[in-house]
Amino acid sequence: MPLLKVLGVTVYYGDFKALGGVSFDVERGEILSIIGPNGSGKTTLLRAIDGILRPRLGAVYLDGREIAGMERREIARIIGYSPQRVDVQSYVTVLDFVLTGRRPYASWDYSESDYRKAVEALRAVNASHLAARRLDQLSGGEFRRVVIARALAGEPDVLLLDEPTNDLDPKHQVEILSAIRRLASGRGVAVVMCLHDLTHAYRYSDKILAMKDGSVYAFGRPEDVMREDLLREVYGVSLKVL
Ligand code: ADP
């Protein structure tokens, strides 16, 4: 049974159909990258998987259980989500922010183990030195890594990352993608990430899902999806990755 199963997921914003019957599976330890132009439904798909948006048709299953019947806290123990945009209170410290990723496990207060997990998550994205810094004192790239650390702090089985390399310089892009690779291979985390950078998507993914106008245009191994003819149809311009 796949860890994550997305079956016929259809999402509307009012009368506008943002996703039309999207289906795919992700196994433990696998990295799936979602590609596709702006507005093709990538973020909507991540939000539907996380249960923030409810599909009008179709369903999302975690380990065979439909998430529609699960409580928010339970979903949050399984899925770690790093959104593209985050509203934060600027006076919060990095460590306190990353600790909020432990909320699904904490009762009254955070335990020593919660602190340890938050510190480990910061280490995983090479951001330990930022722990005491305030959020408004971070660069864009530092903030991106801290948001990913918060998603990691809950030790999720499924990691959803919306443009994890945004704001990062090339060195940090490779570092973060390598860290994601280690989490997938080492801990068996199933990763679903949206990526604009097609070369990264090609190099770091086991499977690629190409979205166009809210539907799956292609799904398969990177070498099968990253073909020039197919990318031209998806993006409407000539692109060469292979
Ligand atoms: P992507 O992540 O691929 O850029 P999105 O999932 O953000 O695409 O958006 C898909 C489509 O849904 C776009 O046309 C966008 O304008 C629309 N959309 C996204 N969020 C909302 C919303 N809250 N209300 C109405 N339309 C939305």
Side-chain angles (χ1 to χ4, degrees), residues 3-4 26 30-32 46 49 62 78-82 147-162 176 179-181 183-184 188-194:
L3 181 53
L4 171 68
V26 189
E30 235 175 17
I31 299 182
L32 169 82
L46 291 188
I49 294 171
L62 288 171
I78 302 174
I79 297 180
Y81 180 28
S82 166
V147 171
I148 294 170
R150 181 184 62 168
L152 296 179
E155 299 184 304
D157 297 316
V158 176
L159 194 53
L160 306 178
L161 304 166
D162 203 340
I176 215 80
I180 291 164
R181 181 84 262 174
L183 279 167
V189 176
V191 179
V192 179
M193 58 182 170
C194 301

PDB file of all heavy atoms in Angstrom, residues 3-4 26 30-32 46 49 62 78-82 147-162 176 179-181 183-184 188-194:
ATOM      1  N   LEU A   3       2.222   4.961   0.803  1.00  0.00           N
ATOM      2  CA  LEU A   3       2.058   5.801   1.999  1.00  0.00           C
ATOM      3  C   LEU A   3       1.067   6.931   1.718  1.00  0.00           C
ATOM      4  O   LEU A   3       0.214   7.249   2.532  1.00  0.00           O
ATOM      5  CB  LEU A   3       3.423   6.377   2.390  1.00  0.00           C
ATOM      6  CG  LEU A   3       3.456   7.256   3.626  1.00  0.00           C
ATOM      7  CD1 LEU A   3       2.830   6.544   4.820  1.00  0.00           C
ATOM      8  CD2 LEU A   3       4.880   7.653   3.954  1.00  0.00           C
ATOM      9  N   LEU A   4       1.205   7.530   0.544  1.00  0.00           N
ATOM     10  CA  LEU A   4       0.300   8.620   0.169  1.00  0.00           C
ATOM     11  C   LEU A   4      -0.396   8.260  -1.136  1.00  0.00           C
ATOM     12  O   LEU A   4       0.260   7.916  -2.115  1.00  0.00           O
ATOM     13  CB  LEU A   4       1.098   9.920  -0.006  1.00  0.00           C
ATOM     14  CG  LEU A   4       0.334  11.113  -0.600  1.00  0.00           C
ATOM     15  CD1 LEU A   4      -0.741  11.610   0.373  1.00  0.00           C
ATOM     16  CD2 LEU A   4       1.293  12.245  -0.925  1.00  0.00           C
ATOM     17  N   VAL A  26       2.557   7.985  -3.803  1.00  0.00           N
ATOM     18  CA  VAL A  26       3.961   8.150  -3.403  1.00  0.00           C
ATOM     19  C   VAL A  26       4.270   7.098  -2.337  1.00  0.00           C
ATOM     20  O   VAL A  26       3.527   6.942  -1.371  1.00  0.00           O
ATOM     21  CB  VAL A  26       4.256   9.558  -2.828  1.00  0.00           C
ATOM     22  CG1 VAL A  26       5.758   9.752  -2.648  1.00  0.00           C
ATOM     23  CG2 VAL A  26       3.703  10.651  -3.733  1.00  0.00           C
ATOM     24  N   GLU A  30      10.312   7.880  -1.245  1.00  0.00           N
ATOM     25  CA  GLU A  30      10.289   8.397  -2.609  1.00  0.00           C
ATOM     26  C   GLU A  30      10.187   9.920  -2.626  1.00  0.00           C
ATOM     27  O   GLU A  30       9.538  10.505  -1.764  1.00  0.00           O
ATOM     28  CB  GLU A  30       9.055   7.845  -3.329  1.00  0.00           C
ATOM     29  CG  GLU A  30       9.390   7.133  -4.597  1.00  0.00           C
ATOM     30  CD  GLU A  30       8.163   6.492  -5.224  1.00  0.00           C
ATOM     31  OE1 GLU A  30       7.011   6.843  -4.886  1.00  0.00           O
ATOM     32  OE2 GLU A  30       8.370   5.638  -6.066  1.00  0.00           O
ATOM     33  N   ILE A  31      10.810  10.532  -3.635  1.00  0.00           N
ATOM     34  CA  ILE A  31      10.675  11.977  -3.832  1.00  0.00           C
ATOM     35  C   ILE A  31       9.901  12.221  -5.113  1.00  0.00           C
ATOM     36  O   ILE A  31      10.314  11.777  -6.191  1.00  0.00           O
ATOM     37  CB  ILE A  31      12.048  12.669  -3.915  1.00  0.00           C
ATOM     38  CG1 ILE A  31      12.830  12.450  -2.613  1.00  0.00           C
ATOM     39  CG2 ILE A  31      11.877  14.161  -4.207  1.00  0.00           C
ATOM     40  CD1 ILE A  31      14.190  13.129  -2.584  1.00  0.00           C
ATOM     41  N   LEU A  32       8.776  12.920  -4.970  1.00  0.00           N
ATOM     42  CA  LEU A  32       7.965  13.298  -6.135  1.00  0.00           C
ATOM     43  C   LEU A  32       8.041  14.804  -6.294  1.00  0.00           C
ATOM     44  O   LEU A  32       7.800  15.547  -5.341  1.00  0.00           O
ATOM     45  CB  LEU A  32       6.512  12.888  -5.905  1.00  0.00           C
ATOM     46  CG  LEU A  32       5.526  13.462  -6.928  1.00  0.00           C
ATOM     47  CD1 LEU A  32       5.517  12.615  -8.189  1.00  0.00           C
ATOM     48  CD2 LEU A  32       4.131  13.555  -6.359  1.00  0.00           C
ATOM     49  N   LEU A  46      -0.926  20.692  -2.962  1.00  0.00           N
ATOM     50  CA  LEU A  46      -0.281  20.480  -1.658  1.00  0.00           C
ATOM     51  C   LEU A  46      -1.273  20.774  -0.527  1.00  0.00           C
ATOM     52  O   LEU A  46      -1.332  20.047   0.463  1.00  0.00           O
ATOM     53  CB  LEU A  46       0.951  21.375  -1.496  1.00  0.00           C
ATOM     54  CG  LEU A  46       2.170  21.079  -2.363  1.00  0.00           C
ATOM     55  CD1 LEU A  46       3.355  21.924  -1.925  1.00  0.00           C
ATOM     56  CD2 LEU A  46       2.558  19.607  -2.324  1.00  0.00           C
ATOM     57  N   ILE A  49      -3.651  17.922  -0.155  1.00  0.00           N
ATOM     58  CA  ILE A  49      -3.027  16.758   0.480  1.00  0.00           C
ATOM     59  C   ILE A  49      -2.950  16.974   1.989  1.00  0.00           C
ATOM     60  O   ILE A  49      -3.174  16.070   2.781  1.00  0.00           O
ATOM     61  CB  ILE A  49      -1.610  16.498  -0.101  1.00  0.00           C
ATOM     62  CG1 ILE A  49      -1.699  16.097  -1.569  1.00  0.00           C
ATOM     63  CG2 ILE A  49      -0.890  15.409   0.702  1.00  0.00           C
ATOM     64  CD1 ILE A  49      -0.355  16.029  -2.283  1.00  0.00           C
ATOM     65  N   LEU A  62      -3.723   8.400   3.609  1.00  0.00           N
ATOM     66  CA  LEU A  62      -2.416   8.235   4.245  1.00  0.00           C
ATOM     67  C   LEU A  62      -2.377   6.827   4.801  1.00  0.00           C
ATOM     68  O   LEU A  62      -3.190   6.500   5.686  1.00  0.00           O
ATOM     69  CB  LEU A  62      -2.236   9.244   5.379  1.00  0.00           C
ATOM     70  CG  LEU A  62      -2.025  10.708   4.967  1.00  0.00           C
ATOM     71  CD1 LEU A  62      -2.086  11.607   6.190  1.00  0.00           C
ATOM     72  CD2 LEU A  62      -0.707  10.888   4.235  1.00  0.00           C
ATOM     73  N   ILE A  78       1.596  13.306  10.860  1.00  0.00           N
ATOM     74  CA  ILE A  78       2.055  12.497   9.729  1.00  0.00           C
ATOM     75  C   ILE A  78       2.654  13.373   8.627  1.00  0.00           C
ATOM     76  O   ILE A  78       3.639  13.010   7.997  1.00  0.00           O
ATOM     77  CB  ILE A  78       0.875  11.669   9.164  1.00  0.00           C
ATOM     78  CG1 ILE A  78       0.299  10.786  10.274  1.00  0.00           C
ATOM     79  CG2 ILE A  78       1.328  10.807   7.983  1.00  0.00           C
ATOM     80  CD1 ILE A  78      -0.956  10.036   9.884  1.00  0.00           C
ATOM     81  N   ILE A  79       2.032  14.555   8.426  1.00  0.00           N
ATOM     82  CA  ILE A  79       2.467  15.420   7.324  1.00  0.00           C
ATOM     83  C   ILE A  79       3.167  16.669   7.848  1.00  0.00           C
ATOM     84  O   ILE A  79       2.640  17.366   8.710  1.00  0.00           O
ATOM     85  CB  ILE A  79       1.247  15.859   6.483  1.00  0.00           C
ATOM     86  CG1 ILE A  79       0.582  14.647   5.833  1.00  0.00           C
ATOM     87  CG2 ILE A  79       1.676  16.852   5.396  1.00  0.00           C
ATOM     88  CD1 ILE A  79      -0.630  14.989   4.973  1.00  0.00           C
ATOM     89  N   GLY A  80       4.336  16.958   7.317  1.00  0.00           N
ATOM     90  CA  GLY A  80       5.012  18.225   7.582  1.00  0.00           C
ATOM     91  C   GLY A  80       4.908  19.080   6.328  1.00  0.00           C
ATOM     92  O   GLY A  80       5.207  18.601   5.235  1.00  0.00           O
ATOM     93  N   TYR A  81       4.444  20.324   6.483  1.00  0.00           N
ATOM     94  CA  TYR A  81       4.182  21.168   5.316  1.00  0.00           C
ATOM     95  C   TYR A  81       5.004  22.442   5.410  1.00  0.00           C
ATOM     96  O   TYR A  81       4.922  23.179   6.392  1.00  0.00           O
ATOM     97  CB  TYR A  81       2.682  21.472   5.285  1.00  0.00           C
ATOM     98  CG  TYR A  81       2.203  22.337   4.129  1.00  0.00           C
ATOM     99  CD1 TYR A  81       2.861  22.367   2.911  1.00  0.00           C
ATOM    100  CD2 TYR A  81       1.055  23.111   4.265  1.00  0.00           C
ATOM    101  CE1 TYR A  81       2.404  23.145   1.865  1.00  0.00           C
ATOM    102  CE2 TYR A  81       0.578  23.896   3.219  1.00  0.00           C
ATOM    103  CZ  TYR A  81       1.265  23.903   2.020  1.00  0.00           C
ATOM    104  OH  TYR A  81       0.809  24.679   0.986  1.00  0.00           O
ATOM    105  N   SER A  82       5.783  22.697   4.385  1.00  0.00           N
ATOM    106  CA  SER A  82       6.527  23.951   4.306  1.00  0.00           C
ATOM    107  C   SER A  82       5.918  24.776   3.178  1.00  0.00           C
ATOM    108  O   SER A  82       6.195  24.533   2.004  1.00  0.00           O
ATOM    109  CB  SER A  82       8.003  23.640   4.027  1.00  0.00           C
ATOM    110  OG  SER A  82       8.681  24.805   3.631  1.00  0.00           O
ATOM    111  N   VAL A 147      11.786  27.639   7.864  1.00  0.00           N
ATOM    112  CA  VAL A 147      10.417  27.145   7.620  1.00  0.00           C
ATOM    113  C   VAL A 147      10.456  25.637   7.327  1.00  0.00           C
ATOM    114  O   VAL A 147       9.607  24.874   7.795  1.00  0.00           O
ATOM    115  CB  VAL A 147       9.756  27.915   6.457  1.00  0.00           C
ATOM    116  CG1 VAL A 147       8.435  27.284   6.052  1.00  0.00           C
ATOM    117  CG2 VAL A 147       9.529  29.372   6.842  1.00  0.00           C
ATOM    118  N   ILE A 148      11.470  25.215   6.579  1.00  0.00           N
ATOM    119  CA  ILE A 148      11.609  23.776   6.304  1.00  0.00           C
ATOM    120  C   ILE A 148      11.927  23.024   7.605  1.00  0.00           C
ATOM    121  O   ILE A 148      11.395  21.950   7.856  1.00  0.00           O
ATOM    122  CB  ILE A 148      12.684  23.532   5.220  1.00  0.00           C
ATOM    123  CG1 ILE A 148      12.203  24.131   3.893  1.00  0.00           C
ATOM    124  CG2 ILE A 148      12.982  22.048   5.063  1.00  0.00           C
ATOM    125  CD1 ILE A 148      13.255  24.188   2.797  1.00  0.00           C
ATOM    126  N   ALA A 149      12.765  23.635   8.450  1.00  0.00           N
ATOM    127  CA  ALA A 149      13.092  23.008   9.739  1.00  0.00           C
ATOM    128  C   ALA A 149      11.831  22.804  10.578  1.00  0.00           C
ATOM    129  O   ALA A 149      11.649  21.766  11.221  1.00  0.00           O
ATOM    130  CB  ALA A 149      14.105  23.861  10.504  1.00  0.00           C
ATOM    131  N   ARG A 150      10.925  23.775  10.553  1.00  0.00           N
ATOM    132  CA  ARG A 150       9.673  23.624  11.318  1.00  0.00           C
ATOM    133  C   ARG A 150       8.880  22.412  10.811  1.00  0.00           C
ATOM    134  O   ARG A 150       8.320  21.649  11.599  1.00  0.00           O
ATOM    135  CB  ARG A 150       8.815  24.877  11.206  1.00  0.00           C
ATOM    136  CG  ARG A 150       7.526  24.773  12.011  1.00  0.00           C
ATOM    137  CD  ARG A 150       6.623  25.955  11.834  1.00  0.00           C
ATOM    138  NE  ARG A 150       6.184  26.110  10.447  1.00  0.00           N
ATOM    139  CZ  ARG A 150       5.207  26.919  10.056  1.00  0.00           C
ATOM    140  NH1 ARG A 150       4.581  27.656  10.961  1.00  0.00           N
ATOM    141  NH2 ARG A 150       4.873  27.011   8.794  1.00  0.00           N
ATOM    142  N   ALA A 151       8.869  22.217   9.483  1.00  0.00           N
ATOM    143  CA  ALA A 151       8.159  21.061   8.921  1.00  0.00           C
ATOM    144  C   ALA A 151       8.839  19.750   9.328  1.00  0.00           C
ATOM    145  O   ALA A 151       8.182  18.733   9.517  1.00  0.00           O
ATOM    146  CB  ALA A 151       8.082  21.169   7.399  1.00  0.00           C
ATOM    147  N   LEU A 152      10.175  19.792   9.495  1.00  0.00           N
ATOM    148  CA  LEU A 152      10.913  18.585   9.854  1.00  0.00           C
ATOM    149  C   LEU A 152      10.792  18.252  11.333  1.00  0.00           C
ATOM    150  O   LEU A 152      10.924  17.093  11.729  1.00  0.00           O
ATOM    151  CB  LEU A 152      12.409  18.760   9.535  1.00  0.00           C
ATOM    152  CG  LEU A 152      12.794  18.937   8.074  1.00  0.00           C
ATOM    153  CD1 LEU A 152      14.309  19.110   7.957  1.00  0.00           C
ATOM    154  CD2 LEU A 152      12.346  17.726   7.287  1.00  0.00           C
ATOM    155  N   ALA A 153      10.543  19.283  12.145  1.00  0.00           N
ATOM    156  CA  ALA A 153      10.573  19.103  13.597  1.00  0.00           C
ATOM    157  C   ALA A 153       9.552  18.074  14.076  1.00  0.00           C
ATOM    158  O   ALA A 153       9.765  17.379  15.061  1.00  0.00           O
ATOM    159  CB  ALA A 153      10.334  20.440  14.303  1.00  0.00           C
ATOM    160  N   GLY A 154       8.452  17.946  13.383  1.00  0.00           N
ATOM    161  CA  GLY A 154       7.419  16.980  13.766  1.00  0.00           C
ATOM    162  C   GLY A 154       7.720  15.560  13.307  1.00  0.00           C
ATOM    163  O   GLY A 154       6.880  14.682  13.433  1.00  0.00           O
ATOM    164  N   GLU A 155       8.922  15.331  12.792  1.00  0.00           N
ATOM    165  CA  GLU A 155       9.341  14.027  12.275  1.00  0.00           C
ATOM    166  C   GLU A 155       8.255  13.386  11.402  1.00  0.00           C
ATOM    167  O   GLU A 155       7.773  12.285  11.681  1.00  0.00           O
ATOM    168  CB  GLU A 155       9.699  13.090  13.424  1.00  0.00           C
ATOM    169  CG  GLU A 155      10.847  13.620  14.251  1.00  0.00           C
ATOM    170  CD  GLU A 155      11.269  12.640  15.322  1.00  0.00           C
ATOM    171  OE1 GLU A 155      10.398  12.249  16.117  1.00  0.00           O
ATOM    172  OE2 GLU A 155      12.441  12.273  15.335  1.00  0.00           O
ATOM    173  N   PRO A 156       7.861  14.087  10.343  1.00  0.00           N
ATOM    174  CA  PRO A 156       6.740  13.599   9.534  1.00  0.00           C
ATOM    175  C   PRO A 156       7.102  12.386   8.683  1.00  0.00           C
ATOM    176  O   PRO A 156       8.272  12.161   8.373  1.00  0.00           O
ATOM    177  CB  PRO A 156       6.440  14.800   8.633  1.00  0.00           C
ATOM    178  CG  PRO A 156       7.752  15.494   8.481  1.00  0.00           C
ATOM    179  CD  PRO A 156       8.461  15.316   9.790  1.00  0.00           C
ATOM    180  N   ASP A 157       6.088  11.630   8.317  1.00  0.00           N
ATOM    181  CA  ASP A 157       6.266  10.531   7.365  1.00  0.00           C
ATOM    182  C   ASP A 157       6.153  11.061   5.943  1.00  0.00           C
ATOM    183  O   ASP A 157       6.682  10.473   5.008  1.00  0.00           O
ATOM    184  CB  ASP A 157       5.185   9.466   7.565  1.00  0.00           C
ATOM    185  CG  ASP A 157       5.276   8.833   8.932  1.00  0.00           C
ATOM    186  OD1 ASP A 157       6.408   8.528   9.348  1.00  0.00           O
ATOM    187  OD2 ASP A 157       4.242   8.680   9.600  1.00  0.00           O
ATOM    188  N   VAL A 158       5.383  12.139   5.800  1.00  0.00           N
ATOM    189  CA  VAL A 158       5.193  12.766   4.487  1.00  0.00           C
ATOM    190  C   VAL A 158       5.606  14.229   4.608  1.00  0.00           C
ATOM    191  O   VAL A 158       5.177  14.925   5.534  1.00  0.00           O
ATOM    192  CB  VAL A 158       3.710  12.698   4.044  1.00  0.00           C
ATOM    193  CG1 VAL A 158       3.513  13.439   2.724  1.00  0.00           C
ATOM    194  CG2 VAL A 158       3.242  11.259   3.923  1.00  0.00           C
ATOM    195  N   LEU A 159       6.450  14.668   3.695  1.00  0.00           N
ATOM    196  CA  LEU A 159       6.925  16.041   3.720  1.00  0.00           C
ATOM    197  C   LEU A 159       6.457  16.756   2.462  1.00  0.00           C
ATOM    198  O   LEU A 159       6.723  16.301   1.349  1.00  0.00           O
ATOM    199  CB  LEU A 159       8.459  16.002   3.777  1.00  0.00           C
ATOM    200  CG  LEU A 159       9.238  17.250   4.140  1.00  0.00           C
ATOM    201  CD1 LEU A 159       8.758  17.857   5.446  1.00  0.00           C
ATOM    202  CD2 LEU A 159      10.726  16.900   4.237  1.00  0.00           C
ATOM    203  N   LEU A 160       5.702  17.857   2.647  1.00  0.00           N
ATOM    204  CA  LEU A 160       5.221  18.650   1.520  1.00  0.00           C
ATOM    205  C   LEU A 160       6.004  19.952   1.485  1.00  0.00           C
ATOM    206  O   LEU A 160       6.003  20.701   2.466  1.00  0.00           O
ATOM    207  CB  LEU A 160       3.724  18.972   1.686  1.00  0.00           C
ATOM    208  CG  LEU A 160       2.779  17.799   1.922  1.00  0.00           C
ATOM    209  CD1 LEU A 160       1.346  18.317   2.099  1.00  0.00           C
ATOM    210  CD2 LEU A 160       2.837  16.806   0.778  1.00  0.00           C
ATOM    211  N   LEU A 161       6.680  20.213   0.385  1.00  0.00           N
ATOM    212  CA  LEU A 161       7.543  21.393   0.308  1.00  0.00           C
ATOM    213  C   LEU A 161       7.156  22.227  -0.900  1.00  0.00           C
ATOM    214  O   LEU A 161       7.226  21.747  -2.044  1.00  0.00           O
ATOM    215  CB  LEU A 161       9.010  20.955   0.173  1.00  0.00           C
ATOM    216  CG  LEU A 161       9.544  20.019   1.266  1.00  0.00           C
ATOM    217  CD1 LEU A 161      10.867  19.395   0.839  1.00  0.00           C
ATOM    218  CD2 LEU A 161       9.731  20.781   2.576  1.00  0.00           C
ATOM    219  N   ASP A 162       6.734  23.460  -0.647  1.00  0.00           N
ATOM    220  CA  ASP A 162       6.354  24.345  -1.755  1.00  0.00           C
ATOM    221  C   ASP A 162       7.546  25.235  -2.089  1.00  0.00           C
ATOM    222  O   ASP A 162       7.895  26.133  -1.315  1.00  0.00           O
ATOM    223  CB  ASP A 162       5.136  25.195  -1.351  1.00  0.00           C
ATOM    224  CG  ASP A 162       4.372  25.692  -2.562  1.00  0.00           C
ATOM    225  OD1 ASP A 162       4.954  25.724  -3.664  1.00  0.00           O
ATOM    226  OD2 ASP A 162       3.188  26.051  -2.404  1.00  0.00           O
ATOM    227  N   ILE A 176      20.041  21.947   0.635  1.00  0.00           N
ATOM    228  CA  ILE A 176      18.698  21.614   1.125  1.00  0.00           C
ATOM    229  C   ILE A 176      18.156  20.391   0.374  1.00  0.00           C
ATOM    230  O   ILE A 176      17.555  19.497   0.968  1.00  0.00           O
ATOM    231  CB  ILE A 176      17.744  22.832   1.022  1.00  0.00           C
ATOM    232  CG1 ILE A 176      16.752  22.850   2.183  1.00  0.00           C
ATOM    233  CG2 ILE A 176      16.879  22.824  -0.218  1.00  0.00           C
ATOM    234  CD1 ILE A 176      17.197  23.356   3.431  1.00  0.00           C
ATOM    235  N   ALA A 179      19.776  17.368   1.729  1.00  0.00           N
ATOM    236  CA  ALA A 179      19.197  17.023   3.036  1.00  0.00           C
ATOM    237  C   ALA A 179      17.847  16.314   2.848  1.00  0.00           C
ATOM    238  O   ALA A 179      17.539  15.345   3.542  1.00  0.00           O
ATOM    239  CB  ALA A 179      19.022  18.287   3.881  1.00  0.00           C
ATOM    240  N   ILE A 180      17.071  16.789   1.879  1.00  0.00           N
ATOM    241  CA  ILE A 180      15.767  16.165   1.595  1.00  0.00           C
ATOM    242  C   ILE A 180      15.986  14.736   1.080  1.00  0.00           C
ATOM    243  O   ILE A 180      15.301  13.801   1.484  1.00  0.00           O
ATOM    244  CB  ILE A 180      14.985  17.024   0.565  1.00  0.00           C
ATOM    245  CG1 ILE A 180      14.570  18.351   1.221  1.00  0.00           C
ATOM    246  CG2 ILE A 180      13.772  16.280   0.035  1.00  0.00           C
ATOM    247  CD1 ILE A 180      14.143  19.428   0.235  1.00  0.00           C
ATOM    248  N   ARG A 181      16.973  14.585   0.231  1.00  0.00           N
ATOM    249  CA  ARG A 181      17.321  13.254  -0.302  1.00  0.00           C
ATOM    250  C   ARG A 181      17.686  12.297   0.843  1.00  0.00           C
ATOM    251  O   ARG A 181      17.254  11.151   0.888  1.00  0.00           O
ATOM    252  CB  ARG A 181      18.492  13.431  -1.273  1.00  0.00           C
ATOM    253  CG  ARG A 181      19.024  12.230  -1.972  1.00  0.00           C
ATOM    254  CD  ARG A 181      18.253  11.882  -3.217  1.00  0.00           C
ATOM    255  NE  ARG A 181      17.289  10.835  -2.914  1.00  0.00           N
ATOM    256  CZ  ARG A 181      16.384  10.375  -3.749  1.00  0.00           C
ATOM    257  NH1 ARG A 181      16.268  10.890  -4.954  1.00  0.00           N
ATOM    258  NH2 ARG A 181      15.571   9.413  -3.400  1.00  0.00           N
ATOM    259  N   LEU A 183      16.750  12.487   3.972  1.00  0.00           N
ATOM    260  CA  LEU A 183      15.551  12.170   4.758  1.00  0.00           C
ATOM    261  C   LEU A 183      14.737  11.082   4.079  1.00  0.00           C
ATOM    262  O   LEU A 183      14.185  10.194   4.729  1.00  0.00           O
ATOM    263  CB  LEU A 183      14.671  13.411   4.896  1.00  0.00           C
ATOM    264  CG  LEU A 183      15.079  14.402   5.960  1.00  0.00           C
ATOM    265  CD1 LEU A 183      14.318  15.702   5.762  1.00  0.00           C
ATOM    266  CD2 LEU A 183      14.793  13.832   7.346  1.00  0.00           C
ATOM    267  N   ALA A 184      14.647  11.164   2.763  1.00  0.00           N
ATOM    268  CA  ALA A 184      13.872  10.172   2.014  1.00  0.00           C
ATOM    269  C   ALA A 184      14.583   8.815   2.070  1.00  0.00           C
ATOM    270  O   ALA A 184      13.984   7.813   2.479  1.00  0.00           O
ATOM    271  CB  ALA A 184      13.688  10.637   0.573  1.00  0.00           C
ATOM    272  N   GLY A 188      13.072   7.133   5.194  1.00  0.00           N
ATOM    273  CA  GLY A 188      11.890   6.639   4.476  1.00  0.00           C
ATOM    274  C   GLY A 188      10.769   7.648   4.361  1.00  0.00           C
ATOM    275  O   GLY A 188       9.604   7.288   4.156  1.00  0.00           O
ATOM    276  N   VAL A 189      11.113   8.935   4.497  1.00  0.00           N
ATOM    277  CA  VAL A 189      10.093   9.969   4.361  1.00  0.00           C
ATOM    278  C   VAL A 189       9.641  10.046   2.896  1.00  0.00           C
ATOM    279  O   VAL A 189      10.456   9.938   1.984  1.00  0.00           O
ATOM    280  CB  VAL A 189      10.662  11.346   4.794  1.00  0.00           C
ATOM    281  CG1 VAL A 189       9.650  12.463   4.573  1.00  0.00           C
ATOM    282  CG2 VAL A 189      11.103  11.294   6.255  1.00  0.00           C
ATOM    283  N   ALA A 190       8.348  10.178   2.689  1.00  0.00           N
ATOM    284  CA  ALA A 190       7.814  10.391   1.338  1.00  0.00           C
ATOM    285  C   ALA A 190       7.749  11.893   1.107  1.00  0.00           C
ATOM    286  O   ALA A 190       7.137  12.616   1.891  1.00  0.00           O
ATOM    287  CB  ALA A 190       6.426   9.775   1.213  1.00  0.00           C
ATOM    288  N   VAL A 191       8.407  12.371   0.064  1.00  0.00           N
ATOM    289  CA  VAL A 191       8.513  13.815  -0.170  1.00  0.00           C
ATOM    290  C   VAL A 191       7.712  14.208  -1.408  1.00  0.00           C
ATOM    291  O   VAL A 191       7.824  13.561  -2.453  1.00  0.00           O
ATOM    292  CB  VAL A 191       9.989  14.236  -0.367  1.00  0.00           C
ATOM    293  CG1 VAL A 191      10.095  15.740  -0.638  1.00  0.00           C
ATOM    294  CG2 VAL A 191      10.832  13.844   0.844  1.00  0.00           C
ATOM    295  N   VAL A 192       6.903  15.245  -1.265  1.00  0.00           N
ATOM    296  CA  VAL A 192       6.216  15.832  -2.423  1.00  0.00           C
ATOM    297  C   VAL A 192       6.598  17.300  -2.449  1.00  0.00           C
ATOM    298  O   VAL A 192       6.328  18.032  -1.485  1.00  0.00           O
ATOM    299  CB  VAL A 192       4.680  15.706  -2.304  1.00  0.00           C
ATOM    300  CG1 VAL A 192       4.007  16.341  -3.520  1.00  0.00           C
ATOM    301  CG2 VAL A 192       4.267  14.241  -2.180  1.00  0.00           C
ATOM    302  N   MET A 193       7.272  17.732  -3.505  1.00  0.00           N
ATOM    303  CA  MET A 193       7.680  19.143  -3.548  1.00  0.00           C
ATOM    304  C   MET A 193       7.373  19.781  -4.895  1.00  0.00           C
ATOM    305  O   MET A 193       7.442  19.141  -5.937  1.00  0.00           O
ATOM    306  CB  MET A 193       9.158  19.302  -3.193  1.00  0.00           C
ATOM    307  CG  MET A 193      10.138  18.552  -4.048  1.00  0.00           C
ATOM    308  SD  MET A 193      11.816  18.857  -3.413  1.00  0.00           S
ATOM    309  CE  MET A 193      12.768  17.674  -4.357  1.00  0.00           C
ATOM    310  N   CYS A 194       7.010  21.053  -4.842  1.00  0.00           N
ATOM    311  CA  CYS A 194       6.836  21.844  -6.055  1.00  0.00           C
ATOM    312  C   CYS A 194       8.176  22.477  -6.366  1.00  0.00           C
ATOM    313  O   CYS A 194       8.808  23.063  -5.482  1.00  0.00           O
ATOM    314  CB  CYS A 194       5.837  22.978  -5.842  1.00  0.00           C
ATOM    315  SG  CYS A 194       4.222  22.433  -5.333  1.00  0.00           S
TER     316      CYS A 194
END
